[in-house]
Amino acid sequence: MNVNQSVPPVPPFGQPQPIYPGYHQSSYGGQSGSTAPAIPYGAYNGPVPGYQQTPPQGMSRAPPSSGAPPASTAQAPCGQAAYGQFGQGDVQNGPSSTVQMQRLPGSQPFGSPLAPVGNQPAVLQPYGPPLTSAQVTTQLSGMQISGAVAPAPPSSGLGYGPPTSLASASGSFPNSGLYGSYPQGQAPPLSQAQGHPGIQTPQRSAPSQASSFTPTASGGPRLPSMTGPLLPGQSFGGPSVSQPNHVSSPPPQALPPGTQMTGPLGPLPPMHSPQQPGYQPQQNGSFGPARGPQPNYGSPYPAAPTFGSQPGPPQPLPPKRLDPDAIPSPIQVIEDDRNNRGTEPFVTGVRGQVPPLVTTNFLVKDQGNASPRYIRCTSYNIPCTSDMAKQAQVPLAAVIKPLARLPPEEASPYVVDHGESGPLRCNRCKAYMCPFMQFIEGGRRFQCCFCSCINDVPPQYFQHLDHTGKRVDAYDRPELSLGSYEFLATVDYCKNNKFPSPPAFIFMIDVSYNAIRTGLVRLLCEELKSLLDFLPREGGAEESAIRVGFVTYNKVLHFYNVKNSLAQPQMMVVSDVADMFVPLLDGFLVNVNESRAVITSLLDQIPEMFADTRETETVFVPVVQAGMEALKAAECAGKLFLFHTSLPIAEAPGKLKNRDDRKLINTDKEKTLFQPQTGAYQTLAKECVAQGCCVDLFLFPNQYVDVATLSVVPQLTGGSVYKYASFQVENDQERFLSDLRRDVQKIVGFDAVMRVRTSTGIRAVDFFGAFYMSNTTDVELAGLDGDKTVTVEFKHDDRLNEESGALLQCALLYTSCAGQRRLRIHNLALNCCTQLADLYRNCETDTLINYMAKFAYRGVLNSPVKAVRDTLITQCAQILACYRKNCASPSSAGQLILPECMKLLPVYLNCVLKSDVLQPGAEVITDDRAYIRQLVTSMDVAETNVFFYPRLLPLTKSPIESTTEPPAVRASEERLSNGDIYLLENGLNLFLWSVLPVLDNPLSKKVRGLIDSLRAQRSRYMKLTVVKQEDKLEMLFKHFLVEDKSLSGGASYVDFLCHMHKEIRQLLS
């Protein structure tokens, strides 16, 4: 079958399927197809209006268009102007094109730097005190945004920090130490074109539909503009030709001497006396004392140099306040995508389609490519050559979630049983049969789409071809028509050529003094009595096949015999923790229903038995060893649930010491805080993986427990870590029990191996996630649940072909909860391109950020944190500079131009750079950094999206009777109104910012309903913290307002955008 061949609209098996019935070929094609409802599922039931600030007096701004540009425009090749790309909602926002405007030539350099200024040392530290809006306005006030972009803030490249620290002639930021700086004495390049500073230069008026605008700050007078031909070096300010819409920032206006200046400016005021270099102290939000407009002064900056120009006509004062609506808004992009793509199902039949954003609710119809719920890529159009990939610097990666849970409206993957012969595979590369395989010679042979090998079709699998070369039974077979499906594995795919036994769960409970004192042990034992009725089961099974066992421990281990024939449970103590063994086999792992009375009796007795304990020391490695040995003796895979409270300091293998040292932060030794203390934990994890023993760790620390070391075992076995610092039953019970219930009940694949195959030209070279690898190709997972992802990076090893595209196949071999050995297959076809514009048009920023965060979080294990941060910034600058150089229409260097689908890359990357792992504040503890680091490693794209850019929901802006989620606002303090109530969530925490007590009234009920709805969307229970306005907790709440400057020195969104602009200009020079 040709990859590009059109696929009939709906295969006959589009109906929801009962959970994994056996696949019977005879009736497969004849099933009646009920259609899934075409409504978006989940909590969002309709378009979400954007948050709009009231336009300032005297201005009117139409809402940004949410319509997608026509397809024809999107294809505009490089170098060809594209007009009229935008919908009718677009209007010219900014200066009217009919009013006169005084401009300088676009590339006018000003006089040479003054000696005193040039010799001043550059000040290199984190971004200085918060900018006044006037400072930032100087560069951002000319930013132009074309197309359906959120009305958003202007941005500048230079002159940050306190007004007294003037930038040196090196052209580096004052205070840019965190982001690196340029060598002393090297200024940004000056264009050669000469012009006269005072000359009026005409500007051509853009077609009205192009919606190119220069945002005017609220309250400031509007700058006029002038129509006419362009002068050399001037830019048109319309959209980039290769992109439907692009974002462009303003030329810098008030720059240090020796830097370039472009854009609409009048002459600058004369320099003050040499004794006063630099700017005066700021007053009234501007530089220097407050003053009115003065003739012949372009801007009220007392210390700007003179350039010998003739005075021009009077200029209005610069805007008083920067309009943050002039830079790309995540909220607007999310809302536009929901409106444009949330109503229609996403049909996967076409190669290389970019799916809707993860924040959009949409239905998926599988017609040959895997659903984006299973695989998301950083780009759906891969460069044909490695040279082109190196030039663009866009990482080629896929975030794969093999066992992702689907919404009820979508059918689970069909299970195909080929009997004893097993699934059909390519003889050479071992790829599994999929829709892209090409049948030839009347159906007697097939050509592998991955390695081009010709294979014979077994007689039992033979079928004739139709006139298009497709098998006549293609739509009766999932593996020939769907992107995702499962095969039942034969005995050849099992360990020791023996079908596996059903897995087991072992609950291992810390009964040291800390665990008893906090009430944890009593709470857990009570919960387990009922929770054991909800162990995962498959299909229509009446009860779960999973067996359970129980161990308690402090310095020694206690095993329990809960055989159904016993009247009371029996305890056996193992005190020799240096040489761990399991003292009993029969009666340790039991069926819950058969041994219910004995189990209930045990769970009643445990809290009483240890109620008076004074033992404070615990062990850890021997506990995991005991569980693994028990699974080995029972010849089954399984999961250990470990409930642990303190640093394991008792004499035993894996003993740890307290090595928490905040003095190491920002030194070369900081990486040791993320590394395990001893190799014993990695060795143990390796043994667990070989046995199929997955470990889930629940931590309840009152002080340092060395999460970096303890989390190694869960991390390498595919397990999870949950952390409840300073656990108190009354405060944390709901969160802990909710996480525990979900963790015990979720469907898990055990003893799994995953391999990713690719077509010729690219190969998988790097893997990120919670797993172990003993070789370069196989990802080994003792357990894998529906929340875990594996991120895979690809590199070129040959040239790709535009016609055939590139193919990925992810194959996961695992044991189901019922003990059945299965293969889950996901296939995805991507386009290939020879034009960089096609690459940039088909990227997905959310997936890119997921990859970059994981890359950085792994990097801190081996490199200084500052080096990791600099690497991220450099890569982002290279990606955007390559676009600017090769895809954007020629324009002034003072404009920041971003690709349409990457316009949120700077804001999201800044959030990653400001995260607690890469830039911790004084209050962030080492354990929390290690916890977040391992958590992000296996997050999916939706989780990293909300984790790095939290959702801020105003609760008092929408009608009380409305049941839909209120539209989010941008994560910045500017968006908060005193007296209103806001809910903030990032997937781990919920904050309610409020002045009101929680009462039994309609608003309170609505808020509680919304909180329940948000918790249901996330994989972990989010504890609610109520933050009163102007309370001391407010600082914690504001830590999550990621567009603002952080206390730990992280840049604000505006500052970072300016910094990226400067980095890009440096690269382009």
Side-chain angles (χ1 to χ4, degrees):
M1 162 189 177
N2 186 334
V3 180
N4 295 317
Q5 206 166 315
S6 62
V7 181
V10 183
F13 40 79
Q15 76 286 351
Q17 176 199 22
I19 298 179
Y20 297 134
Y23 161 69
H24 302 291
Q25 187 178 334
S26 57
S27 63
Y28 189 91
Q31 293 173 345
S32 59
S34 68
T35 53
I39 52 159
Y41 67 92
Y44 308 103
N45 294 328
V48 184
Y51 173 75
Q52 301 247 332
Q53 281 185 312
T54 315
Q57 284 282 315
M59 278 179 70
S60 66
R61 167 176 289 169
S65 158
S66 58
S72 59
T73 321
Q75 302 301 322
C78 274
Q80 175 189 325
Y83 294 117
Q85 294 110 304
F86 309 106
Q88 296 180 348
D90 287 324
V91 295
Q92 170 125 348
N93 191 342
S96 148
S97 57
T98 58
V99 192
Q100 294 242 327
M101 174 182 185
Q102 179 174 3
R103 275 182 74 88
L104 297 178
S107 55
Q108 170 66 38
F110 287 90
S112 57
L114 298 173
V117 177
N119 294 332
Q120 283 186 348
V123 184
L124 296 173
Q125 18 168 298
Y127 288 110
L131 311 183
T132 61
S133 49
Q135 277 172 292
V136 185
T137 308
T138 56
Q139 181 172 1
L140 283 182
S141 59
M143 176 181 271
Q144 296 176 338
I145 298 185
S146 311
V149 180
S155 115
S156 155
L158 302 155
Y160 283 23
T164 48
S165 64
L166 191 66
S168 74
S170 70
S172 70
F173 267 1
N175 305 334
S176 66
L178 271 172
Y179 290 100
S181 61
Y182 300 117
Q184 192 105 2
Q186 179 186 334
L190 296 177
S191 160
Q192 296 308 305
Q194 295 294 326
H196 200 282
I199 290 178
Q200 286 187 326
T201 54
Q203 182 184 12
R204 184 183 307 166
S205 95
S208 58
Q209 284 182 315
S211 167
S212 153
F213 63 87
T214 303
T216 308
S218 47
R222 306 184 67 168
L223 292 171
S225 70
M226 173 177 176
T227 59
L230 287 159
L231 290 189
Q234 227 180 329
S235 80
F236 170 55
S240 142
V241 243
S242 65
Q243 269 313 101
N245 356 345
H246 75 271
V247 187
S248 41
S249 97
Q253 283 185 314
L255 302 184
T259 50
Q260 181 187 7
M261 201 163 178
T262 65
L265 275 165
L268 292 164
M271 188 71 173
H272 278 213
S273 61
Q275 288 81 17
Q276 296 179 309
Y279 298 120
Q280 299 296 323
Q282 291 164 276
Q283 295 171 21
N284 303 328
S286 177
F287 292 107
R291 55 207 284 179
Q294 297 179 42
N296 306 334
Y297 279 62
S299 56
Y301 299 160
T306 55
F307 299 111
S309 63
Q310 292 182 355
Q315 286 284 323
L317 269 174
K320 285 270 192 320
R321 184 181 164 280
L322 177 67
D323 178 11
D325 284 337
I327 51 179
S329 158
I331 303 305
Q332 189 66 49
V333 170
I334 288 168
E335 184 195 330
D336 287 349
D337 193 75
R338 281 181 185 160
N339 292 339
N340 295 335
R341 307 197 64 184
T343 51
E344 294 295 319
F346 178 70
V347 181
T348 70
V350 182
R351 183 178 83 187
Q353 282 185 106
V354 182
L357 297 181
V358 284
T359 43
T360 299
N361 281 314
F362 58 98
L363 276 176
V364 179
K365 289 192 175 170
D366 185 342
Q367 292 191 3
N369 283 294
S371 160
R373 303 191 205 290
Y374 294 123
I375 306 181
R376 277 187 179 265
C377 295
T378 53
S379 178
Y380 288 80
N381 208 329
I382 296 180
C384 280
T385 64
S386 59
D387 289 346
M388 192 172 155
K390 280 177 195 154
Q391 186 183 2
Q393 288 285 314
V394 176
L396 304 176
V399 180
I400 305 174
K401 198 175 181 184
L403 297 179
R405 288 186 310 279
L406 301 179
E409 301 90 340
E410 294 175 23
S412 297
Y414 287 89
V415 183
V416 180
D417 185 0
H418 282 313
E420 288 182 15
S421 62
L424 186 56
R425 306 175 69 176
C426 169
N427 291 328
R428 184 196 290 163
C429 70
K430 303 299 178 192
Y432 292 87
M433 179 53 67
C434 72
F436 310 126
M437 299 289 191
Q438 188 76 46
F439 286 88
I440 53 176
E441 296 180 21
R444 288 187 295 279
R445 305 175 91 184
F446 71 91
Q447 181 170 21
C448 175
C449 51
F450 293 93
C451 69
S452 304
C453 175
I454 307 287
N455 298 269
D456 290 329
V457 173
Q460 72 272 18
Y461 199 79
F462 173 78
Q463 187 54 270
H464 294 286
L465 308 184
D466 64 14
H467 64 286
T468 65
K470 210 176 178 71
R471 281 174 58 123
V472 296
D473 66 346
Y475 293 105
D476 296 337
R477 289 187 176 274
E479 73 274 22
L480 298 181
S481 52
L482 292 178
S484 301
Y485 42 88
E486 291 199 326
F487 292 118
L488 282 187
T490 59
V491 75
D492 305 334
Y493 291 87
C494 303
K495 262 187 194 164
N496 309 323
N497 280 347
K498 198 170 136 190
F499 281 114
S501 308
F505 283 178
I506 304 177
F507 297 90
M508 317 190 91
I509 305 166
D510 178 346
V511 289
S512 64
Y513 174 73
N514 276 338
I516 297 292
R517 180 185 58 81
T518 56
L520 168 65
V521 174
R522 189 174 296 279
L523 176 70
L524 176 59
C525 290
E526 269 313 305
E527 177 63 25
L528 286 178
K529 289 182 201 170
S530 55
L531 186 54
L532 293 177
D533 288 331
F534 298 97
L535 298 177
R537 64 192 75 183
E538 210 134 83
E542 285 185 19
E543 64 177 52
S544 174
I546 292 173
R547 292 169 295 161
V548 298
F550 301 89
V551 172
T552 57
Y553 68 94
N554 39 46
K555 263 200 329 196
V556 297
L557 276 74
H558 323 105
F559 293 79
Y560 296 94
N561 184 345
V562 283
K563 198 172 182 183
N564 59 351
S565 56
L566 297 173
Q568 285 294 321
Q570 295 174 345
M571 178 165 102
M572 296 183 180
V573 180
V574 177
S575 54
D576 182 7
V577 290
D579 185 18
M580 185 45 60
F581 67 97
V582 181
L584 76 159
L585 292 179
D586 189 30
F588 179 63
L589 294 177
V590 296
N591 176 291
V592 173
N593 284 342
E594 289 172 7
S595 298
R596 180 171 300 281
V598 194
I599 290 173
T600 303
S601 172
L602 170 67
L603 293 172
D604 284 336
Q605 289 176 40
I606 286 174
E608 307 307 327
M609 270 192 288
F610 299 98
D612 300 323
T613 186
R614 285 289 170 266
E615 183 57 71
T616 56
E617 293 187 355
T618 57
V619 295
F620 187 90
V621 166
V623 182
V624 178
Q625 265 172 338
M628 181 187 68
E629 294 294 340
L631 294 176
K632 190 184 282 185
E635 295 185 340
C636 68
K639 185 182 268 199
L640 312 182
F641 295 85
L642 229 78
F643 304 90
H644 191 81
T645 61
S646 57
L647 193 69
I649 56 172
E651 282 303 326
K655 175 185 174 179
L656 299 178
K657 62 179 190 291
N658 187 332
R659 53 163 187 168
D660 189 15
D661 186 358
R662 293 195 56 80
K663 291 198 288 292
L664 297 181
I665 292 177
N666 293 326
T667 69
D668 284 352
K669 289 188 175 175
E670 184 174 4
K671 60 191 175 192
T672 59
L673 297 175
F674 297 110
Q675 296 166 352
Q677 259 188 64
T678 154
Y681 288 78
Q682 278 149 315
T683 307
L684 175 64
K686 210 181 296 185
E687 293 168 8
C688 285
V689 172
Q691 183 47 49
C693 168
C694 175
V695 179
D696 279 359
L697 177 59
F698 292 79
L699 287 170
F700 307 86
N702 287 330
Q703 52 198 19
Y704 179 75
V705 287
D706 200 349
V707 173
T709 303
L710 297 187
S711 65
V712 165
V713 178
Q715 177 82 9
L716 292 180
T717 59
S720 305
V721 181
Y722 298 85
K723 182 169 173 282
Y724 311 89
S726 306
F727 179 82
Q728 293 177 303
V729 169
E730 57 275 16
N731 293 338
D732 301 297
Q733 165 179 345
E734 192 180 358
R735 177 172 158 229
F736 163 55
L737 293 182
S738 177
D739 284 340
L740 176 63
R741 287 167 192 151
R742 197 172 183 282
D743 196 55
V744 168
Q745 294 175 40
K746 63 188 172 190
I747 299 292
V748 181
F750 293 96
D751 210 1
V753 181
M754 184 180 113
R755 182 177 282 196
V756 178
R757 294 179 174 85
T758 54
S759 54
T760 309
I762 54 169
R763 62 194 170 89
V765 293
D766 209 352
F767 300 83
F768 304 82
F771 53 77
Y772 173 72
M773 291 185 80
S774 56
N775 57 40
T776 56
T777 54
D778 293 339
V779 174
E780 298 173 45
L781 304 120
L784 176 68
D785 60 54
D787 298 325
K788 298 281 188 310
T789 64
V790 176
T791 300
V792 187
E793 186 183 4
F794 303 97
K795 289 267 166 71
H796 287 74
D797 57 8
D798 203 348
R799 187 184 174 85
L800 291 167
N801 184 316
E802 263 189 297
E803 278 184 35
S804 53
L807 302 174
L808 314 178
Q809 183 179 81
C810 164
L812 178 78
L813 174 65
Y814 70 99
T815 301
S816 73
C817 292
Q820 200 175 50
R821 204 69 175 148
R822 288 188 177 165
L823 280 153
R824 180 170 287 203
I825 312 295
H826 299 296
N827 304 288
L828 186 64
L830 302 172
N831 287 329
C832 295
C833 60
T834 53
Q835 299 294 320
L836 283 165
D838 292 327
L839 164 68
Y840 282 101
R841 202 178 283 124
N842 291 280
C843 288
E844 203 197 29
T845 300
D846 291 328
T847 311
L848 205 52
I849 287 294
N850 180 283
Y851 165 83
M852 291 171 103
K854 290 173 181 177
F855 178 82
Y857 280 19
R858 187 177 67 183
V860 299
L861 290 173
N862 306 306
S863 306
V865 171
K866 183 182 182 305
V868 172
R869 292 163 48 79
D870 289 345
T871 302
L872 283 184
I873 292 170
T874 304
Q875 181 169 22
C876 179
Q878 286 174 329
I879 290 171
L880 298 176
C882 176
Y883 173 79
R884 170 69 186 258
K885 184 178 176 184
N886 298 289
C887 307
S889 52
S891 60
S892 142
Q895 284 186 310
L896 171 61
I897 298 181
L898 302 171
E900 171 63 16
C901 65
M902 280 190 195
K903 63 188 175 191
L904 298 181
L905 187 60
V907 62
Y908 285 163
L909 184 69
N910 191 34
C911 296
V912 175
L913 294 170
K914 291 201 293 188
S915 64
D916 289 340
V917 173
L918 298 183
Q919 194 166 24
E923 74 293 341
V924 180
I925 59 174
T926 307
D927 270 348
D928 281 347
R929 295 179 74 195
Y931 175 62
I932 295 296
R933 195 196 75 77
Q934 62 82 32
L935 208 57
V936 168
T937 305
S938 50
M939 274 186 182
D940 71 7
V941 180
E943 286 171 323
T944 51
N945 173 272
V946 76
F947 178 74
F948 289 114
Y949 192 93
R951 274 203 295 177
L952 184 61
L953 304 170
L955 302 184
T956 42
K957 302 268 167 112
S958 56
I960 285 182
E961 58 279 3
S962 164
T963 54
T964 56
E965 214 169 85
V969 297
R970 292 169 69 166
S972 170
E973 198 176 336
E974 290 189 352
R975 309 292 169 166
L976 302 177
S977 307
N978 281 338
D980 284 343
I981 303 175
Y982 294 85
L983 194 62
L984 182 143
E985 67 120 354
N986 73 342
L988 296 182
N989 307 290
L990 268 172
F991 292 95
L992 188 69
W993 191 70
S994 160
V995 288
L996 301 173
V998 177
L999 303 170
D1000 190 19
N1001 58 38
L1003 175 62
S1004 188
K1005 286 175 184 164
K1006 177 185 173 179
V1007 171
R1008 288 200 292 270
L1010 177 60
I1011 288 169
D1012 291 342
S1013 146
L1014 293 176
R1015 283 173 173 160
Q1017 295 169 29
R1018 303 295 168 210
S1019 60
R1020 291 174 181 240
Y1021 183 90
M1022 296 184 287
K1023 180 181 173 182
L1024 178 67
T1025 305
V1026 178
V1027 180
K1028 293 201 173 126
Q1029 291 176 17
E1030 298 178 13
D1031 185 37
K1032 61 178 186 289
L1033 264 179
E1034 204 173 47
M1035 293 313 295
L1036 179 61
F1037 174 76
K1038 288 179 179 174
H1039 174 68
F1040 295 97
L1041 301 178
V1042 289
E1043 288 200 17
D1044 299 338
K1045 186 178 164 96
S1046 68
L1047 288 174
S1048 54
S1052 70
Y1053 175 19
V1054 170
D1055 288 359
F1056 186 70
L1057 197 61
C1058 301
H1059 180 72
M1060 286 313 304
H1061 187 197
K1062 172 168 162 268
E1063 292 276 328
I1064 292 164
R1065 291 177 68 176
Q1066 189 77 7
L1067 287 170
L1068 292 174
S1069 66

